């Protein structure tokens, strides 16, 4: 299997390793980075902020964005990226889907077209408890491109911790599709905490199924996984 799994129990060691992988990508000439949000990425972006990585000649594309949150809302993914990374480590150009677009379907098409013109050298991924990547919820076709998605109750509940209540969590988002993500040259997935065990086990040793979106990565030739979860047989 092409998936390389590194189990690192100590989280600061795990995040140092993730930081080094990105620094090596830069040193190897990667220019186009797919970026992710979520709690998992916070320590990584903290490390990157104080690293000597220079992204000023690089382009970034984020995986997803909520629909209907103002850009200035602290939990919009644009705010997340500005506050956690971009203010300290600006890229030459950074793209996110526009969740405030009047026509979100057209916006998804526009974002996909941009991504078709720009191959991602590297894609950073987290994973949802239900196995979602980006906001590709269970049942999303592996052939999907960037699209508008209705978030599941479980994803909204998981993300409610960032809002005052679940009622504030948007119901829609724009996300890169599974086939969009799979076009990246190489992928680093970080999964931390027992809550991610089922998704991770499915990725490492489960059957490939659209019901668990992360399992699509079994078909990708260059995936690395960093986790603190002890897995049988790894
Ligand atoms: C969110 C994001 C994903 C992220 C996942 C896990 O809904 N859209 O890109 O990987 O859920 O989030 P966390 O890292 O907070 O567990």
């Amino acid at each position: 299997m092409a998936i390389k799994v590194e189990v690192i129990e100590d989280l600061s060691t795990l995040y140092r390793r993730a930081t080094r992988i990105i620094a090596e990508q830069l040193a190897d000439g990667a220019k186009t980075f797919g970026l992710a949000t979520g709690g998992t990425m916070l320590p990584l972006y903290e490390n990157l902020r104080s690293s000597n990585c220079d992204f000023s000649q690089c382009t970034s594309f984020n995986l997803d964005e909520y629909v209907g949150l103002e850009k200035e809302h602290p939990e919009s993914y644009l705010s997340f990226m500005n506050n956690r990374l971009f203010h300290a480590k600006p890229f030459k150009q950074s793209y996110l889907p526009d969740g405030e677009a009047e026509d979100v379907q057209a916006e998804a098409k526009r974002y996909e077209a941009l991504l078709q013109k720009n191959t991602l050298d590297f894609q950073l991924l987290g994973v949802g408890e239900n196995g979602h990547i980006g906001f590709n919820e269970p049942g999303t076709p592996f052939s999907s491109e960037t699209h508008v998605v209705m978030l599941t109750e479980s994803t909204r509940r998981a993300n409610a911790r960032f809002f005052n209540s679940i009622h504030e969590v948007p119901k829609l988002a724009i996300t890169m599709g599974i086939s969009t993500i799979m076009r990246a040259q190489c992928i680093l997935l970080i999964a931390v905490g027992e809550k991610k065990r089922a998704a991770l086990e499915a990725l490492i040793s489960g059957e490939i199924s659209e019901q668990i979106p992360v399992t699509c990565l079994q078909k990708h030739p260059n995936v690395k996984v960093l986790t603190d979860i002890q897995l049988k047989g790894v």
Side-chain angles (χ1 to χ4, degrees):
M1 189 193 292
I3 300 178
K4 300 181 196 76
V5 184
E6 292 182 32
V7 178
I8 305 175
E9 270 185 88
D10 176 63
L11 287 184
S12 57
T13 309
L14 182 152
Y15 282 106
R16 272 204 305 279
R17 174 83 181 113
T19 310
R20 198 162 61 242
I21 289 170
I22 292 179
E24 284 167 6
Q25 285 287 321
L26 264 176
D28 288 350
K31 285 275 180 282
T32 311
F33 288 76
L35 298 178
T37 51
T40 308
M41 300 305 153
L42 292 173
L44 172 60
Y45 292 155
E46 188 181 335
N47 284 358
L48 284 173
R49 289 199 302 270
S50 57
S51 73
N52 53 18
C53 288
D54 176 5
F55 297 103
S56 62
Q57 298 310 309
C58 299
T59 304
S60 70
F61 286 89
N62 264 79
L63 279 167
D64 46 16
E65 177 60 286
Y66 290 115
V67 166
L69 271 195
E70 287 168 15
K71 290 191 179 56
E72 299 73 28
H73 189 289
E75 294 307 328
S76 77
Y77 285 167
L78 177 64
S79 294
F80 180 105
M81 292 309 299
N82 282 338
N83 297 335
R84 306 296 182 170
L85 188 64
F86 296 156
H87 75 280
K89 293 285 174 188
F91 284 66
K92 185 161 86 182
Q93 188 91 50
S94 283
Y95 297 97
L96 282 94
D98 179 359
E100 285 191 291
E102 234 167 75
D103 182 343
V104 282
Q105 304 289 347
E107 171 58 13
K109 282 212 173 76
R110 185 195 70 87
Y111 200 66
E112 178 66 27
L114 262 178
L115 281 158
Q116 302 224 353
K117 276 189 256 155
N118 293 271
T119 304
L120 299 173
D121 297 314
F122 174 87
Q123 176 68 57
L124 185 61
L125 282 184
V127 62
E129 290 167 37
N130 62 4
H132 73 242
I133 52 174
F135 269 134
N136 292 283
E137 297 284 20
T140 307
F142 284 170
S143 59
S144 56
E145 299 187 325
T146 304
H147 61 287
V148 178
V149 64
M150 174 87 83
L151 300 179
T152 62
E153 191 65 17
S154 106
T155 296
R156 292 183 66 237
R157 228 179 297 121
N159 287 4
R161 68 191 195 278
F162 299 114
F163 294 81
N164 292 322
S165 85
I166 189 167
H167 306 293
E168 287 183 16
V169 184
K171 295 196 166 110
L172 295 176
I174 300 175
T175 183
M176 285 188 201
I178 299 282
S179 78
T180 322
I181 293 169
M182 290 290 280
R183 289 200 303 267
Q185 297 291 308
C186 86
I187 294 177
L188 171 64
L189 182 140
I190 306 178
V192 163
E194 276 300 317
K195 284 182 175 172
K196 306 292 172 73
R197 177 180 288 279
L200 202 57
E201 285 180 347
L203 166 61
I204 308 300
S205 50
E207 273 182 28
I208 299 177
S209 161
E210 290 180 349
Q211 293 312 315
I212 310 181
V214 71
T215 60
C216 71
L217 299 179
Q218 291 183 24
K219 295 186 187 176
H220 193 285
N222 193 357
V223 177
K224 193 185 277 295
V225 174
L226 294 184
T227 185
D228 66 335
I229 304 169
Q230 289 292 351
L231 298 158
K232 276 187 230 118
V234 172

